[in-house]
Amino acid sequence: MFYFIGLGLGDAKDITVKGLEIIKRCSRVYLEAYTSILTVGKEALEEYYGRELILADRDMVEQEADEILKGADVSDVAFLVVGDPFGATTHSDLVLRAMNAGIEYRVIHNASILNAVGCCGLQLYNFGETVSIVFWTDSWKPESFYDKIKRNRDMGMHTLCLLDIKVKEQSMENLMRGRKVYEPPRFMTVAQAAEQLLEVVQNRRERAEEPAITEDTVCVGLARVGADDQAVRAGSLREMAECDLGAPLHSMIITGHLHPLEVDMLKLFSSPEGLSGLKMTDSSTYVS
Amino acid sequence: MFYFIGLGLGDAKDITVKGLEIIKRCSRVYLEAYTSILTVGKEALEEYYGRELILADRDMVEQEADEILKGADVSDVAFLVVGDPFGATTHSDLVLRAMNAGIEYRVIHNASILNAVGCCGLQLYNFGETVSIVFWTDSWKPESFYDKIKRNRDMGMHTLCLLDIKVKEQSMENLMRGRKVYEPPRFMTVAQAAEQLLEVVQNRRERAEEPAITEDTVCVGLARVGADDQAVRAGSLREMAECDLGAPLHSMIITGHLHPLEVDMLKLFSSPEGLSGLKMTDSSTYVS
């Protein structure tokens, strides 16, 4: 049997009892390590499970899938994924290869950022399409995420923005020379995402577009959701651009129409100054 | 500390290691039992945890919240929720009451149906607003879910339909006489949901509306997601109305625009006949 096992979002103990039992009896255990991270590393997981893990980077999953699946028809092999195995990323390719090879598979689900963001008090029912915000470069500044957020907001829906992760990134020079030398991993912060969004807001203003989002739009910044030291901050987009939520991973929500109970919950996560004179001017804009 | 602990979706062992450790040390443990169910009952959980659980029905959570929170400032109390504590349902009211009473709280996340449906191979990124389909009565047949599905499909998005659960329902007579006698619990099946949807499709056709959904629209029926005996079936809406996916809980997805990899995944869950001559005529309609 080939097992896809979700690890949840915080540390080693966020795995389910069922998942842990399976890991202990498998012949090989892979750790997918390019779409998300826990607050603990491979070594901490190995110590907790009492066994060795094989790190599976993107190259291995895409190019050596048959190697990963090998023997899973006669013994148990596990593939560990941070969050839920079919959460923010799907591993459909691996499923299809397993099925083609006559290998049965099972999924052990766990929390993913897509449902755990509910901890900020916004109703998951009221979220529209999830968007990704990627790191801009000097020459590449895609704005498509703005239009998706706008579309969601037009319907009153909240938008979860997943923020870019750059793992095993190669510099242009190393890439061109074919040298497998990697840059340190980078994780987009809420402040960086908010800055990019503010830049798009400004661009659209210059084009005299009807503003769908302004500096005062209510947003929620989240960091290390599910971990002991998780941080949640609610405030204007301008505030998001200035906040420091600490270590990765970060996510950001752009709110749509806010229900009174949602507002009450968000106030728990506002800054004291933001809270004091907080009043709502429209469905999703606070002014102090 | 007041703990909100997600139990996941299958059986007793779908709790996280962290959640289980907390349950074992709490002074009181409540089991929320009106928004969802596991494949095992309260007794099986009590045996697995080695301790007594207090069943918290809707009346208790809404009317005796202070009782539930009592003492959580000096000892640990846990509130168990099937799925994720802030998944399909939020317990914001309990959070706000805790905060007002100066009681700290923590959330132990877990899988919820909102992310676990990814197991069928549809990308969670491509889901729009989640809808609920309620049991129709002779005199009350709301069609609003159809319009939400239509809106999602117009944008190419899939729609997760959560199906009605009736627990502790009173007959009109018992309700009027104030007798706390309850009907057996009812859980809407995929077939029932599909039948209601087909009726709306027919109603809209009679009103000469542009059809957003037809009998051939590709749907996915899911039952007992995350359990050993989970069932997933992909097929036309017409097929959904005739399928029997067994014991609860059921959910249904109405697809929007399908990516080729999503189609390949859905074929794993189609009936053999459906599979043989399957071809796509447009982005989301199969004909055999």
Side-chain angles (χ1 to χ4, degrees):
Chain A
M1 182 75 82
F2 190 79
Y3 290 97
F4 292 89
I5 302 178
L7 298 184
L9 296 167
D11 58 33
K13 288 188 174 178
D14 284 308
I15 193 166
T16 64
V17 173
K18 193 178 281 172
L20 184 59
E21 286 181 358
I22 294 167
I23 287 175
K24 288 181 183 289
R25 69 161 189 259
C26 278
S27 56
R28 293 193 315 283
V29 183
Y30 293 89
L31 173 63
E32 190 264 66
Y34 59 93
T35 58
S36 192
I37 55 159
L38 288 177
T39 55
V40 296
K42 173 170 171 277
E43 292 68 29
L45 294 179
E46 286 181 323
E47 196 186 325
Y48 185 68
Y49 303 151
R51 61 172 305 157
E52 198 194 340
L53 301 178
I54 307 163
L55 214 56
D57 60 20
R58 190 185 294 267
D59 283 354
M60 185 194 263
V61 176
E62 290 177 358
Q63 293 159 27
E64 297 165 43
D66 294 338
E67 195 60 35
I68 294 174
L69 293 167
K70 199 170 160 183
D73 49 342
V74 290
S75 71
D76 291 335
V77 176
F79 185 79
L80 312 185
V81 182
V82 173
D84 185 79
F86 292 82
T89 307
T90 143
H91 288 284
S92 301
D93 182 64
L94 218 42
V95 170
L96 292 168
R97 280 172 187 268
M99 294 303 282
N100 285 337
I103 295 167
E104 285 192 280
Y105 75 94
R106 252 199 89 191
V107 181
I108 308 299
H109 291 287
N110 209 318
S112 106
I113 188 67
L114 293 172
N115 68 304
V117 291
C119 68
C120 73
L122 294 175
Q123 297 267 1
L124 293 182
Y125 270 71
N126 299 334
F127 278 74
E129 183 179 2
T130 301
V131 311
S132 293
I133 301 185
V134 297
F135 278 116
W136 280 354
T137 65
D138 290 339
S139 57
W140 191 62
K141 300 188 174 188
E143 297 191 352
S144 55
F145 66 94
Y146 177 94
D147 299 298
K148 289 183 180 176
I149 297 169
K150 178 180 187 313
R151 207 167 66 170
N152 284 337
R153 271 177 67 84
D154 285 347
M155 295 184 303
M157 312 298 285
H158 312 312
T159 308
L160 170 62
C161 305
L162 302 177
L163 309 186
D164 206 1
I165 294 177
K166 292 283 188 197
V167 187
K168 284 205 158 189
E169 204 182 0
Q170 285 170 284
S171 68
M172 193 51 78
E173 189 186 338
N174 284 327
L175 190 68
M176 287 175 67
R177 290 178 188 242
R179 287 192 299 222
K180 295 217 164 180
V181 176
Y182 304 106
E183 304 297 305
R186 291 193 296 152
F187 307 95
M188 187 184 283
T189 65
V190 164
Q192 289 170 322
E195 269 170 30
Q196 290 192 184
L197 185 51
L198 282 171
E199 201 172 318
V200 185
V201 167
Q202 192 52 38
N203 290 344
R204 301 300 173 106
R205 196 171 278 145
E206 284 164 16
R207 287 191 239 153
E209 262 185 33
E210 183 80 32
I213 301 168
T214 72
E215 290 79 357
D216 295 316
T217 298
V218 176
C219 300
V220 185
L222 305 105
R224 302 173 304 286
V225 171
D228 287 343
D229 65 342
Q230 84 171 26
V232 180
R233 177 74 63 88
S236 67
L237 177 57
R238 192 188 293 109
E239 280 174 71
M240 292 297 117
E242 286 155 14
C243 74
D244 177 4
L245 298 180
L249 294 177
H250 291 195
S251 310
M252 184 168 68
I253 299 165
I254 317 299
T255 64
H257 175 75
L258 289 168
H259 183 275
L261 193 58
E262 292 181 318
V263 174
D264 287 343
M265 282 293 292
L266 289 189
K267 284 183 178 173
L268 297 180
F269 306 110
S270 311
S271 61
E273 314 85 64
L275 249 180
S276 57
L278 216 63
K279 70 171 192 271
M280 306 228 319
T281 49
D282 69 36
S283 64
S284 65
T285 305
Y286 283 160
V287 289
S288 54
Chain B
M1 182 75 81
F2 190 78
Y3 289 97
F4 292 89
I5 302 177
L7 298 183
L9 297 167
D11 57 35
K13 289 188 175 179
D14 285 309
I15 192 166
T16 64
V17 174
K18 192 177 282 172
L20 184 58
E21 287 180 359
I22 294 167
I23 288 175
K24 287 182 184 289
R25 68 162 189 258
C26 278
S27 55
R28 295 194 312 282
V29 182
Y30 294 90
L31 173 63
E32 190 266 65
Y34 59 93
T35 58
S36 192
I37 54 159
L38 289 177
T39 55
V40 296
K42 173 170 171 276
E43 293 69 29
L45 293 179
E46 286 181 323
E47 196 186 323
Y48 185 67
Y49 303 150
R51 60 173 306 156
E52 197 193 339
L53 300 178
I54 307 162
L55 214 58
D57 60 20
R58 189 183 295 267
D59 284 354
M60 186 195 265
V61 176
E62 290 177 358
Q63 292 158 28
E64 296 165 43
D66 295 336
E67 196 60 37
I68 293 174
L69 292 167
K70 200 170 162 184
D73 48 343
V74 290
S75 70
D76 290 335
V77 176
F79 185 78
L80 313 184
V81 181
V82 173
D84 184 80
F86 292 81
T89 307
T90 144
H91 288 284
S92 301
D93 183 63
L94 218 42
V95 170
L96 292 168
R97 280 172 188 268
M99 294 303 281
N100 285 337
I103 294 167
E104 284 192 279
Y105 75 95
R106 252 198 89 189
V107 181
I108 308 299
H109 292 286
N110 208 319
S112 107
I113 188 67
L114 293 172
N115 68 304
V117 291
C119 68
C120 73
L122 294 175
Q123 297 268 1
L124 293 181
Y125 270 72
N126 300 334
F127 278 73
E129 184 178 4
T130 301
V131 311
S132 294
I133 302 185
V134 297
F135 278 116
W136 280 354
T137 66
D138 290 340
S139 57
W140 191 62
K141 299 188 175 189
E143 296 191 354
S144 54
F145 66 94
Y146 176 93
D147 299 298
K148 289 182 179 175
I149 297 169
K150 178 180 186 313
R151 207 168 63 169
N152 284 337
R153 271 177 65 83
D154 285 346
M155 295 185 303
M157 311 299 287
H158 312 312
T159 307
L160 171 62
C161 305
L162 301 176
L163 309 186
D164 207 0
I165 294 178
K166 291 282 188 196
V167 187
K168 285 205 157 187
E169 201 181 5
Q170 285 170 284
S171 69
M172 192 51 80
E173 191 186 337
N174 284 326
L175 190 68
M176 288 175 67
R177 290 178 187 243
R179 288 192 300 219
K180 295 216 163 182
V181 177
Y182 304 106
E183 304 298 305
R186 292 193 294 152
F187 306 95
M188 187 184 283
T189 64
V190 164
Q192 289 170 321
E195 270 170 29
Q196 290 191 184
L197 185 51
L198 281 170
E199 203 171 318
V200 184
V201 167
Q202 193 52 40
N203 289 345
R204 301 299 172 106
R205 195 171 278 144
E206 285 164 15
R207 288 191 237 152
E209 259 184 37
E210 184 80 30
I213 301 167
T214 72
E215 290 80 358
D216 295 316
T217 297
V218 176
C219 300
V220 184
L222 305 105
R224 302 173 304 287
V225 171
D228 288 341
D229 65 341
Q230 83 170 25
V232 179
R233 177 73 64 88
S236 66
L237 177 58
R238 193 189 291 109
E239 279 174 73
M240 291 298 116
E242 286 156 13
C243 74
D244 178 4
L245 298 180
L249 293 177
H250 290 196
S251 310
M252 184 166 69
I253 298 165
I254 317 299
T255 64
H257 174 75
L258 289 166
H259 182 275
L261 193 59
E262 291 182 319
V263 174
D264 287 343
M265 282 293 293
L266 289 190
K267 283 183 179 174
L268 298 179
F269 305 111
S270 311
S271 62
E273 316 85 63
L275 249 180
S276 56
L278 216 63
K279 70 170 192 273
M280 306 229 319
T281 49
D282 67 35
S283 65
S284 65
T285 306
Y286 283 158
V287 289
S288 52

